[in-house]
Amino acid sequence: MPVAAPLVLGIETSCDETGVALVRGNTLIAETVASSMDEHSRYGGIIPEIASRAHLEAMVPTVQSCMAEAGLNLGAVDAIAVTAGPGLVGSLNVGAAAAKALALALGRPLYGVNHVIGHAAVDQLVHGDFPERVMALIVSGGHSSLLLVDDIATDVTELGCTLDDAAGEAFDKVGRLLNLPYPGGPHIDRLAREGNPKAIRFPRGLTAAKFQEQHAYDFSFSGLKTAVARWVEGERDAGHPLNLPDIAASFAEAVVDVLTAKTIAACRRHEVDTLVIGGGFSANTQLREMAERRCAEAGIALRIPPIRYCTDNGAMIAALGSAVARANVAPSPLDFGVDSSLPLTTISLQPQA
Ligand code: KG4
Ligand code: ZN
């Protein structure tokens, strides 16, 4: 009789969401999330100290409600996975401390895993095991990374990342420029649906031929943000009313054009025919439309999990923990330190040799 896959409890606290989930194999058993976003929105950005305190308050009730939803006791858990980074250091520490305490008390293995790779792994809960090789574009308020995934538990290569702002962050900053509420991303999305994406030709960062060698798959959005600021200033100086839908649509077009063009070029170069998109920015309408169109043209299968799996959550960490545990990767030491800038070369923290 085949041995059942381990029941993995995943804990995510890298930013403002306290996420807890139970996963067995590729099946999500239960999931609970508490968010401190409402406490940050009046500041126009995440306040790390507020986030850490909120995690501390939410941790025990969130674990309890996840177990209650599953109808299981903690004793049923076979392994614990927790975000080891990247993220806000104080927030990461709250999750890591809770996970270590559970692992120690229950006598179960602990896996400190990479948050960004978790954003890719969660897709397996929705669309099943990855084929041999997939490309993953992870886009959110904090990250924009292009990953070549040969094995989600053991072999992930970072092909590119943003050199400055993340895609969602660029949307939020342009949102602020246009006096939209924080976070501006969804507001720009809404406005852009009514505007003309060809109205203004905004720059496409790092796409010139001279960047092909060193930055073929890297992104840069800060020049674009400056270009939008200049355009707005020029219009105001000229006494023109701002055409917000056209500005939003043209800005969004510039961002998603670069994201999708570079991603599809990377798929071609590495002969990959499956693309996974994850992270909170994958909710963006303009990105979804362009990715669908360009993937169809290129014969690439596109996998985007439902949005509740794309924003930060415990399921992504439990999913990666489940993959790592099933691959028989060594657990992390109980005294591991979190790493706010954990590199993408680390899928799960390994014991020192
Ligand atoms: O993954 P997420 O919930 O949090 C992290 O950043 O890790 O992503 C949130 C980001 C914010 O920058 C938000 O403005 C952006 O994703 N976002 C969007 C949309 N929905 C969320 N940006 C553009 N269009 C959207 N529909
Ligand atoms: Zn994230």
Coordinates of all heavy atoms in Angstrom, one line a residue, residues 8 27 56 61 124 167 196 257 311-312 316 344:
V8 N 1.4 18.5 6.0 CA 2.3 19.6 6.2 C 1.6 20.9 6.7 O 0.6 21.3 6.0 CB 3.2 20.0 5.0 CG1 4.1 21.1 5.3 CG2 4.0 18.7 4.5
T27 N -2.9 18.4 -2.1 CA -4.3 18.7 -1.7 C -4.3 19.7 -0.5 O -3.7 19.4 0.5 CB -5.0 17.4 -1.3 OG1 -4.9 16.5 -2.4 CG2 -6.5 17.7 -1.0
L56 N 2.0 38.5 15.8 CA 2.1 38.0 17.2 C 0.7 37.7 17.7 O 0.5 36.7 18.3 CB 2.9 39.0 18.0 CG 3.6 38.4 19.2 CD1 4.6 37.3 18.8 CD2 4.5 39.6 19.9
P61 N -4.4 32.1 17.4 CA -5.7 31.9 16.9 C -5.8 31.4 15.4 O -6.7 30.6 15.1 CB -6.4 33.3 17.0 CG -5.5 34.1 17.7 CD -4.2 33.4 17.9
Q124 N 0.7 24.0 -7.8 CA 0.6 22.6 -7.9 C -0.7 22.1 -7.2 O -1.2 21.1 -7.4 CB 1.8 21.9 -7.3 CG 3.1 22.1 -8.1 CD 4.1 21.1 -7.8 OE1 4.7 20.5 -8.8 NE2 4.5 20.9 -6.6
A167 N 6.7 45.1 -9.8 CA 5.6 45.5 -10.7 C 4.5 46.1 -9.9 O 4.0 47.2 -10.2 CB 5.1 44.3 -11.5
N196 N -7.1 54.1 -23.4 CA -6.4 53.6 -24.6 C -4.9 53.3 -24.3 O -4.2 54.2 -24.0 CB -6.5 54.7 -25.7 CG -5.7 54.4 -26.9 OD1 -5.2 53.3 -27.1 ND2 -5.6 55.4 -27.8
D257 N 3.8 44.7 -21.1 CA 4.5 44.4 -22.4 C 5.9 43.9 -22.0 O 6.3 42.8 -22.5 CB 4.6 45.7 -23.2 CG 5.3 45.5 -24.5 OD1 5.4 44.3 -25.0 OD2 5.8 46.5 -25.1
T311 N -2.0 35.9 -3.8 CA -1.6 36.8 -2.7 C -1.0 36.0 -1.6 O -1.1 34.7 -1.6 CB -2.8 37.6 -2.1 OG1 -3.8 36.6 -1.8 CG2 -3.4 38.5 -3.2
D312 N -0.3 36.6 -0.7 CA 0.5 35.9 0.3 C -0.5 35.0 1.2 O -1.5 35.5 1.6 CB 1.2 36.8 1.2 CG 2.4 37.5 0.5 OD1 2.7 37.1 -0.6 OD2 2.9 38.5 1.0
M316 N 0.7 28.5 0.1 CA 1.9 28.5 -0.7 C 3.1 27.9 0.0 O 4.0 27.2 -0.6 CB 2.2 29.9 -1.3 CG 2.5 30.9 -0.2 SD 2.5 32.6 -0.8 CE 4.3 32.8 -1.0
L344 N 17.3 33.4 -4.1 CA 16.5 32.4 -4.8 C 17.2 31.1 -5.0 O 16.6 30.2 -5.5 CB 15.9 33.0 -6.0 CG 14.7 33.9 -5.7 CD1 14.4 35.0 -6.7 CD2 13.4 33.0 -5.6

